[in-house]
């Protein structure tokens, strides 16, 4: 354990941070401008992504009704309870690359009659199709989330997509609605979000921007929502990282659109990966890796700004949302895990990765109105790991839990001059912070101390507050992880602070994430 963090942890344990580990006089002034509220932080930036990939759905969510693992209609109860607690706003499904090879008819009807197909993208395994449309809709309803369905543009047809939407959403007694009723669901399903393809520049068909736009017009026309009780937002495929080709082409097409089609969003995919294939270790890494990954993740700021600027040229009123529907750390796979299953551990560093990205999305709340971390269970930067009947929550899960008060809260501007954290050639902001006011009028702060060697003494000024209450996520080491044997190594601890005079001191442990409400 690095000594400064050991000291900080002792202070947490003793319920006091007063003997700060930062140098004397090193306090950092934070000002909140509560009189100048910003945009609403759309709860959909806390969305999840669940692809047919490895153990993400099979075992991670679906165990089948006959399983000894406690379940409701085949969906594991422990995972549902954990996801309900973080108030998941929406789940994107069935992919990912899988979506552009998925044929929805394989996943309806009696489960024992469904065909075995292949999953060529992810390990070439058999796809049993036991988790299909009804199982997914049951799952999102159990966790209280909206459905974000990605239709197959790469290898499907407009007719297949149109039929799926009719099957899902029509209240009228059509042949497809009768099939839906015969399969157990007479009422139409709500589909809040529709992805029109996935990574059409890559695994979704290797299309040029103009080729994709030709497909987009057709699919956006025919994949209709018939459920008037649930408006549906259509999300077009957008950029791969910093390439603005898709952003330009889709936004230009939208600006010149006719009455016959429309979209409400454009997606951005960007992983924190440094270089392909992903080689950065998920645990057992040193400070240089720690700083390199945090630097890479902060690049999200420039990506969002770049694409927002392009979008502003065509859509200054910001009608079209930028939806970062795949993001997160993509690290070296867990040694011994099956090829193509994308299993990786999740450390305190990844908790900081999550917090920093959520802060970026919140600061761009006027344009970024959706995001989906990849992926929900057992895959990439997951919330949850399962091993048969066991379940463990990751450090990233805890960040999502701590950030619940920011869902649909109103951004409040802050000013902070915290200086930098340096590691070798890398220089990063030392502390990152967002503030927001919830619908009950309460002010919330989320503070990330990026520096793994120094605590940060924040002094809040400019707001009349007497105390702060909340939680802090600190860990013995920045690469600490939770395991099935030791599930609570990284877990939030209570955090309180009292004002003295008109200043509120907030002592942030090294490499920590803290969320507090102000009273
Ligand atoms: O999340 C894993 C994969 O990453 C998705 O299937 C694909 O869309 C992206 O390249």
């Amino acid at each position: 354990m690095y000594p400064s963090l050991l000291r900080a942890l002792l202070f947490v344990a003793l319920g006091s941070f007063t003997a700060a580990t930062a140098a004397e006089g090193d306090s950092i002034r934070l000002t909140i401008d509560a009189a100048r509220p910003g945009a609403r932080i759309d709860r959909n930036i806390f969305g999840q992504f669940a692809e047919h990939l490895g153990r993400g759905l099979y075992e991670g969510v679906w165990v089948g009704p006959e399983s000894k693992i406690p379940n409701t209609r085949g969906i594991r109860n422990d995972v549902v309870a954990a996801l309900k607690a973080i108030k998941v706003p929406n789940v994107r499904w069935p992919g990912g690359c899988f979506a552009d090879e998925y044929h929805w008819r394989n996943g309806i009807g009696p489960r024992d009659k469904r065909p075995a197909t292949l999953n060529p993208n992810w390990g070439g395994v058999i796809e049993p199709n036991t988790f299909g449309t009804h199982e997914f809709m049951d799952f999102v309803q159990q966790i209280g989330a909206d459905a974000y369905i990605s239709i197959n543009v790469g290898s499907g047809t407009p007719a297949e997509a149109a039929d799926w939407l009719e099957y899902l959403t029509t209240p009228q007694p059509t042949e497809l609605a009768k099939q839906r009723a015969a399969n157990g669901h007479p009422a139409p399903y709500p589909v809040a979000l529709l992805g029109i393809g996935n990574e059409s520049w890559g695994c979704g068909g290797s299309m040029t921007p103009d080729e994709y736009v030709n497909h987009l017009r057709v699919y956006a026309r025919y994949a209709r929502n018939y459920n008037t009780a649930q408006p549906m937002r259509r999300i077009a495929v957008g950029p791969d990282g910093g390439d603005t080709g898709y952003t330009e082409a889709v936004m230009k097409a939208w600006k010149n659109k006719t009455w016959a089609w429309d979209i409400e969003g454009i997606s951005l995919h960007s992983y924190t990966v440094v270089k392909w294939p992903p080689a950065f270790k998920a645990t057992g890494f040193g400070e240089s890796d720690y700083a390199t990954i945090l630097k890479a993740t902060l690049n999200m700021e420039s990506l969002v700004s770049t694409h927002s600027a392009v979008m502003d040229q065509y859509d200054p009123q910001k009608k079209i949302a930028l939806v970062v529907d795949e993001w997160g750390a993509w690290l070296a796979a867990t040694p011994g895990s099956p090829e193509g299953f994308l299993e990786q551990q999740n450390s305190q560093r990844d908790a900081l990765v999550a917090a920093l990205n959520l802060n970026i999305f919140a600061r761009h709340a006027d344009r970024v109105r959706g995001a989906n971390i990849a992926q929900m269970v057992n895959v990439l930067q997951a919330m949850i790991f399962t091993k048969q009947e066991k379940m463990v929550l990751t450090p990233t899960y805890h960040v999502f839990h701590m950030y619940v008060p920011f869902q649909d809260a109103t951004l409040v501007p802050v000013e902070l001059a915290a200086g930098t954290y340096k590691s070798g050639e890398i220089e990063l902001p030392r502390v990152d912070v967002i503030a927001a006011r919830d619908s009950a009028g309460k002010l919330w702060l989320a503070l990330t101390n990026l520096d793994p060697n120094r605590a940060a003494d924040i002094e809040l000024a400019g707001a009349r507050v007497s105390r702060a209450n909340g939680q802090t996520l600190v860990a013995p080491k920045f690469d600490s992880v939770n395991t099935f044997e030791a599930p609570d190594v990284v877990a939030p601890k209570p955090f309180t602070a009292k004002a003295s005079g008109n200043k509120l001191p907030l002592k942030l442990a090294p490499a920590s994430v803290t969320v507090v409400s102000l009273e």
Side-chain angles (χ1 to χ4, degrees):
M1 181 183 295
Y2 32 101
S4 54
L5 179 54
L6 175 60
R7 283 200 302 277
L9 279 174
L10 280 174
F11 294 132
V12 171
L14 296 171
S16 160
F17 261 123
T18 44
T21 51
E24 288 305 322
D26 194 16
S27 78
I28 301 160
R29 191 179 154 88
L30 169 67
T31 319
I32 302 178
D33 196 350
R36 271 198 314 126
R40 185 174 66 94
I41 302 168
D42 195 315
R43 60 194 288 268
N44 285 303
I45 70 164
F46 300 92
Q48 296 289 331
F49 173 34
E51 179 166 13
H52 288 241
L53 194 175
R55 297 183 305 114
L57 286 163
Y58 296 113
E59 189 197 305
V61 170
W62 178 258
V63 288
E66 312 306 332
S67 171
K68 285 196 199 101
I69 299 171
N71 69 85
T72 302
R73 296 180 293 282
I75 294 163
R76 53 191 301 165
N77 294 344
D78 52 356
V79 168
V80 165
L83 293 172
K84 271 171 96 168
I86 58 171
K87 297 196 190 305
V88 176
N90 73 76
V91 182
R92 180 170 179 258
W93 173 84
C97 298
F98 180 82
D100 278 302
E101 297 194 68
Y102 184 59
H103 299 286
W104 68 273
R105 283 188 169 89
N106 292 334
I108 58 167
R111 279 192 284 271
D112 58 353
K113 302 244 167 11
R114 295 187 194 171
T117 55
L118 286 172
N119 191 338
N121 286 296
W122 306 121
V125 297
I126 294 268
E127 165 56 53
N129 286 297
T130 36
F131 191 85
T133 298
H134 290 260
E135 291 77 13
F136 172 68
M137 296 308 294
D138 188 12
F139 166 64
V140 287
Q141 282 171 4
Q142 286 191 35
I143 66 168
D146 284 339
Y148 179 177
I149 287 185
S150 284
I151 51 175
N152 179 344
V153 171
S155 69
T157 64
E160 184 186 17
D163 284 354
W164 197 9
L165 268 289
E166 182 186 321
Y167 180 89
L168 281 157
T169 65
T170 186
Q172 308 229 58
T174 65
E175 185 52 35
L176 285 167
K178 285 181 195 162
Q179 275 184 38
R180 186 187 67 223
N183 289 331
H185 208 273
Y189 283 117
V191 177
L193 293 152
L194 187 78
I196 303 181
N198 170 76
E199 298 193 355
S200 303
W201 32 262
C203 67
S206 299
M207 299 177 205
T208 65
D210 290 341
E211 284 165 349
Y212 173 70
V213 163
N214 288 337
H215 284 77
L216 172 65
R217 288 196 197 94
V218 175
Y219 279 83
R221 169 76 185 143
Y222 296 114
R224 290 183 172 97
N225 173 36
Y226 297 97
N227 185 346
T228 49
Q230 171 63 70
M232 182 179 84
R233 291 190 287 150
R234 290 153 292 187
I235 314 299
V237 171
D240 171 18
D243 187 341
T244 55
Y246 263 65
T247 322
E248 287 276 0
V250 170
M251 292 305 296
K252 189 170 170 197
W254 174 78
K255 183 145 192 234
N256 299 319
K257 73 183 160 54
T258 65
W259 60 270
W261 70 280
D262 207 348
I263 52 169
E264 288 75 29
I266 177 169
S267 82
L268 161 65
H269 287 188
S270 175
Y271 286 94
T272 299
V273 72
V274 185
K275 60 178 183 199
W276 295 97
F280 273 67
K281 289 206 267 175
T283 187
F285 50 84
E287 189 174 336
S288 157
D289 274 29
Y290 168 87
T292 304
I293 289 286
L294 292 192
K295 178 172 187 255
T297 218
L298 287 169
N299 188 44
M300 183 63 83
E301 169 61 41
S302 120
L303 293 179
V304 167
S305 299
T306 299
H307 295 295
S308 296
V310 173
M311 293 172 78
D312 284 349
Q313 288 168 27
Y314 299 95
D315 173 29
Q317 292 175 303
K318 301 191 193 291
K319 289 184 180 157
I320 302 291
L322 183 60
V323 178
V324 191
D325 56 14
E326 285 189 31
W327 67 274
W330 191 325
L331 305 168
T334 303
S337 60
E339 180 80 22
F341 277 28
L342 310 189
E343 295 188 7
Q344 66 188 44
Q345 247 300 357
N346 192 301
S347 67
Q348 174 72 1
R349 177 195 59 193
D350 301 326
L352 270 72
V353 165
L356 293 172
N357 280 281
L358 292 171
N359 292 357
I360 292 167
F361 303 151
R363 280 193 283 268
H364 288 271
D366 58 348
R367 182 64 89 177
V368 178
R369 299 195 289 271
N372 299 73
I373 189 167
Q375 300 194 9
M376 190 173 68
V377 187
N378 290 334
V379 176
L380 297 176
Q381 192 176 346
M383 306 296 111
I384 293 171
F385 297 141
T386 63
K387 189 163 141 200
Q388 287 152 11
E389 75 289 354
K390 293 187 192 153
M391 181 187 83
V392 66
L393 305 176
T394 67
T396 298
Y397 173 92
H398 292 305
V399 168
F400 273 70
H401 200 193
M402 289 161 69
Y403 270 65
V404 164
F406 289 88
Q407 294 198 10
D408 285 337
T410 302
L411 192 73
V412 171
V414 291
E415 265 181 45
L416 177 79
T420 56
Y421 150 56
K422 288 189 194 139
S423 170
E425 300 291 296
I426 296 176
E427 191 165 338
L428 304 173
R430 185 173 163 200
V431 176
D432 192 53
V433 57
I434 57 164
R437 196 184 285 285
D438 69 15
S439 57
K442 197 179 258 190
L443 261 179
W444 291 85
L445 284 179
L447 307 113
T448 297
N449 181 4
L450 286 79
D451 193 324
N453 304 311
R454 282 184 299 170
D457 287 346
I458 307 287
E459 201 174 78
L460 177 63
R464 248 184 265 132
V465 292
S466 56
R467 53 190 299 121
N469 278 322
Q471 292 187 312
T472 188
L473 195 67
V474 286
K477 297 188 292 176
F478 50 56
D479 69 336
S480 293
V481 298
N482 292 336
T483 62
F484 296 103
E485 295 71 39
D488 295 318
V489 173
V490 187
K493 298 170 178 61
F495 181 100
T496 54
K498 255 176 124 178
S500 128
N502 59 356
K503 287 178 185 153
L504 181 74
L506 301 163
K507 316 274 184 187
L508 311 177
S512 66
V513 180
T514 304
V515 172
V516 289
S517 67
L518 303 177
E519 286 164 23

